[in-house]
């Protein structure tokens, strides 16, 4: 394989239209449609380009996972070779046939591809006209993301597919393929107003765990992150420069600390918002929380200095949370004393729970069931309707809704609430993306 050029592999069971698609991509410079069995059985690599970008297309010749289906005709050697080229390719395009639907062979191919590190696109072929378009949604079930309708024969949709393939290349415009989200180090930002107790909390957390602690440069020049080994695995505390030392010389200004906190939040999976409970939830706390929430970062609220509060103050702060932080929904609120350590032990289990929600994948069927019920109970105005939905991404949970027309924002908030309730997504931000589809 040409090491220099990015590669796009085309895979799928026989007869879905891989060769036709390949020809289409190559612009008919190579005629390789199988006229007789065996012609496309060899792996073919062809130079191609799209929008001025050169790449190599790899035809895997009817690749099927070894041992799948009952294909006496499948040559094991071809399969092994195809598998290798698939693993080595930057982007894989899995081709399926909209007229046939999902076969067990398709499922086997998809299962193999779901384990792949790099991006995979699903091309639903033989969508020769718009009346075939609704057929493509079934293929969401393959678990490989939004399907692309194409007609390899007529060229329909192939440009969109190639755009997406180019965007998914490692050095493509604006793409980041996360190699393995599950094993990534969890990043946590400890934020709050000056004097809320961030340093005290941080020092207690590293002290209490007797964990292995090491400093690493952060992404910007003057920041230092601290990685701590905990029972949850390594946790990266973002921008801890001022927190390791017990007595800091500089007292950050409110404004500077806000900017700094937001930069830290941008790099984090979770924010711990430390609130000085002796002061109550202030306007600055509210602003900070709003910005964190808008960044799509889940929040755990820590009411610190709980040891200092009498009963009256404890009641007052509950009101403050309702009033100023209600938009955080069901975000976890922990009452702690960073100074005495009381309540701090509940922090790691809470983080574990939030991150599990954050990374959760909900089966497409369940998502659609909830949306169907929600819409039956309260239909959207003017005949607007969600036709189909899927969880397109986790971190944070992001649902893609395919709707026949624009849905009002209030209605989307209603659907979001129902999804939250149904799947217990209490404290994480949930994102909804809406796509218009002609549908029925
Ligand atoms: P492969 O085995 O996956 O390489 O499939 P081929 O490219 O050989 O195509 C299989 C059959 O499907 C051929 O008869 C093609 O003409 C037909 N085919 C491929 N693409 C399309 C398409 O977009 N629309 C229609 N209607 N037929 C197609
Ligand atoms: P930071 O500016 O947010 O990092 O706040 P510090 O951690 O430096 O804490 C500010 C002051 O609050 C220090 O004097 C701490 O000892 C005190 N403090 C922090 N946490 C608690 C707590 O839980 N209870 C009490 N009573 N004091 C605390």
């Amino acid at each position: 394989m040409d090491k220099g050029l990015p590669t796009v592999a085309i895979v799928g069971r026989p007869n879905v239209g891989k060769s036709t698609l390949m020809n289409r991509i190559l612009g008919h410079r190579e005629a390789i449609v199988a006229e007789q069995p065996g012609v496309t059985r060899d792996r073919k690599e062809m130079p191609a380009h799209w929008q001025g970008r050169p790449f190599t297309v790899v035809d895997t010749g009817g690749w099927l996972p070894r041992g799948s289906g009952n294909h006496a005709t499948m040559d094991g050697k071809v399969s092994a070779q195809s598998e290798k080229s698939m693993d080595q390719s930057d982007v894989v395009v899995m081709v399926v046939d909209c007229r046939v639907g999902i076969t067990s062979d398709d499922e086997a191919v998809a299962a193999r591809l779901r384990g792949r590190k790099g991006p995979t696109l699903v091309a639903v072929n033989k969508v020769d006209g718009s009346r075939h378009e609704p057929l493509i949604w079934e293929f969401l079930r393959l678990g490989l993301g939004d399907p692309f309708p194409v007609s390899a024969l007529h060229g329909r949709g192939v440009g969109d597919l190639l755009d997406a393939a180019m965007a998914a290349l490692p050095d493509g415009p604006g793409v980041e393929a996360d190699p393995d989200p599950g094993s990534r180090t969890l990043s946590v930002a400890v934020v709050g107003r000056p004097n809320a107790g961030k340093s005290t909390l941080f020092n207690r957390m590293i002290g209490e765990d007797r964990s292995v602690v090491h400093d690493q440069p952060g992404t910007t020049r003057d920041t230092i992150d601290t990685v701590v080994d905990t029972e949850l695995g390594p946790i990266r505390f973002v921008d801890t420069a001022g927190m390791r030392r017990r007595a800091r010389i500089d007292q950050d200004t409110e404004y500077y600390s806000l900017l700094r906190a937001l930069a830290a939040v941008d790099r984090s999976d979770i924010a711990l918002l430390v609130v000085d409970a002796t002061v109550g939830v202030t306007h600055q706390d509210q602003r900070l929380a709003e910005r964190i929430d808008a960044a799509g970062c889940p929040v755990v609220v820590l009411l610190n200095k709980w040891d200092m509060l009498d009963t009256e103050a404890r009641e007052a702060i509950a009101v403050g949370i309702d009033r100023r932080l209600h938009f955080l929904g069901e975000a976890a609120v922990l009452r702690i004393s960073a100074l005495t350590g009381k309540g701090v032990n509940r922090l790691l289990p809470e983080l574990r729970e939030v991150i599990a929600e954050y990374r959760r994948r909900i089966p497409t069927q369940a998502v659609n069931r909830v949306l169907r019920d929600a819409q039956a109970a309260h239909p959207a105005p003017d005949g607007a309707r969600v036709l189909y939905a899927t969880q397109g991404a986790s971190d944070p949970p992001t649902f893609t809704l395919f709707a026949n027309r624009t849905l009002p924002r209030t209605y989307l908030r209603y659907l979001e609430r129902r999804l939250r309730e149904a799947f217990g997504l209490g404290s994480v931000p949930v994102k909804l993306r809406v796509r218009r589809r002609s549908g029925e």
Side-chain angles (χ1 to χ4, degrees):
M1 215 174 279
D2 185 341
K3 285 267 177 301
L5 287 181
T7 50
V8 176
I10 299 179
V11 308
R13 61 179 178 79
N15 236 25
V16 289
K18 294 180 301 300
S19 308
T20 312
L21 179 62
M22 183 133 171
N23 279 340
R24 175 61 61 182
I25 293 171
L26 298 173
H28 294 283
R29 277 180 295 124
E30 296 277 343
I32 51 164
V33 173
E35 246 103 57
Q36 60 207 67
V39 171
T40 59
R41 286 295 161 254
D42 291 316
R43 187 177 62 162
K44 291 229 163 63
E45 293 172 16
M46 305 285 175
H49 55 89
W50 179 249
Q51 313 262 356
R53 193 134 187 246
F55 60 99
T56 303
V57 204
V58 184
D59 179 3
T60 55
W63 173 79
L64 284 171
R66 272 166 285 183
S68 77
N70 48 350
H71 288 269
T73 53
M74 274 311 294
D75 179 358
K77 207 172 96 219
V78 171
S79 251
Q81 196 189 30
S82 304
E83 241 170 72
K84 196 165 144 226
S85 74
M86 195 186 75
D87 287 337
Q88 288 171 351
S89 294
D90 295 304
V91 176
V92 170
V93 174
M94 174 178 174
V95 185
V96 291
D97 183 338
C98 77
R99 318 277 173 97
V100 176
I102 297 177
T103 70
S104 57
D105 282 342
D106 290 331
E107 266 164 7
V109 173
R112 177 72 166 72
L113 289 171
R114 280 197 301 268
R116 211 179 92 84
K117 284 212 166 83
T120 300
L121 306 176
V122 176
V124 183
N125 192 29
K126 309 194 187 179
V127 180
D128 296 343
S130 57
R131 74 197 161 91
H132 296 120
E133 283 235 355
L135 297 172
I136 74 170
W137 304 117
E138 177 195 351
F139 295 92
L140 279 166
R141 205 153 53 72
L142 294 174
L144 292 167
D146 293 353
F148 291 80
V150 299
S151 169
L153 203 57
H154 305 297
R156 198 169 187 271
V158 175
D160 287 349
L161 176 71
L162 287 175
D163 282 348
M166 294 301 104
L169 289 176
D171 57 345
V175 201
E176 234 167 75
D178 196 340
D180 184 4
S183 72
R184 235 178 23 197
T185 303
L186 186 66
S187 292
V188 177
V190 182
V191 299
R193 300 179 54 221
N195 235 30
K198 298 180 295 297
S199 312
T200 311
L201 174 68
F202 177 71
N203 285 306
R204 173 157 297 279
M205 281 195 289
I206 44 184
E208 216 163 59
D209 260 13
R210 267 177 283 114
S211 24
V212 184
V213 176
H214 34 107
D215 284 345
Q216 291 183 358
T219 43
T220 49
R221 206 157 29 100
D222 62 336
T223 58
I224 295 190
D225 297 351
T226 305
V227 178
V228 179
D229 282 328
T230 72
E231 55 188 77
L232 285 189
I235 293 186
R236 171 189 289 266
F237 288 94
V238 174
D239 190 7
T240 50
M243 294 204 248
R244 293 291 297 278
R245 281 162 284 128
R246 212 158 262 284
R248 279 162 309 147
I249 306 129
D250 61 314
Q251 215 20 286
D252 293 346
T253 67
E254 188 94 45
Y255 178 69
Y256 181 65
S257 85
L258 174 67
L259 290 189
R260 190 150 190 152
L262 292 175
V265 164
D266 275 342
R267 293 201 283 128
S268 302
D269 300 309
I270 294 188
L272 299 180
L273 175 61
V274 183
V275 173
D276 185 339
T278 62
V279 177
V281 183
T282 66
H283 185 61
Q284 284 89 338
D285 291 323
Q286 180 182 6
R287 270 177 66 206
L288 187 51
E290 276 166 359
R291 301 284 288 269
I292 299 169
D293 191 51
C297 189
V299 187
V300 175
V301 179
L302 302 175
L303 299 178
N304 191 32
K305 310 194 188 178
W306 201 251
D307 55 297
M308 304 266 283
L309 268 55
D310 57 22
T311 319
E312 204 179 322
R314 290 177 183 190
E315 279 163 15
I317 195 150
V319 175
I321 288 184
D322 283 347
R323 226 183 43 221
R324 291 205 195 260
L325 301 181
H326 59 89
F327 59 91
L328 290 179
E330 294 166 43
V333 178
L334 298 184
R335 291 151 181 80
I336 63 162
S337 170
L339 198 64
T340 68
K342 202 148 195 285
V344 176
N345 60 336
R346 297 209 310 273
L347 200 47
L348 279 189
E350 196 60 52
L351 281 181
R352 174 188 296 143
E353 220 161 275
V354 174
I355 207 66
E357 285 176 14
Y358 193 62
R359 292 185 171 160
R360 202 153 130 213
R361 286 226 163 248
I362 296 157
T364 302
Q365 256 186 338
V367 173
N368 283 286
R369 195 180 330 113
V370 168
L371 290 179
R372 202 174 50 235
D373 292 351
Q375 295 190 98
H378 278 287
D382 305 325
R385 219 152 57 76
V386 176
L387 308 167
Y388 198 90
T390 180
Q391 184 182 354
S394 54
D395 305 22
T398 304
F399 297 92
T400 308
L401 274 47
F402 299 95
N404 61 345
R405 64 184 66 162
T406 311
L407 295 163
R409 284 174 69 120
T410 46
Y411 195 73
L412 285 174
R413 274 200 292 277
Y414 161 69
L415 293 180
E416 180 190 325
R417 208 165 51 240
R418 296 300 292 263
L419 286 168
R420 261 182 205 291
E421 284 164 7
F423 303 117
L425 297 169
S427 46
V428 298
V430 169
K431 290 188 181 168
L432 299 185
R433 291 187 299 163
V434 183
R435 302 257 191 101
R436 290 272 299 280
R437 287 294 170 230
S438 39
E440 324 101 275

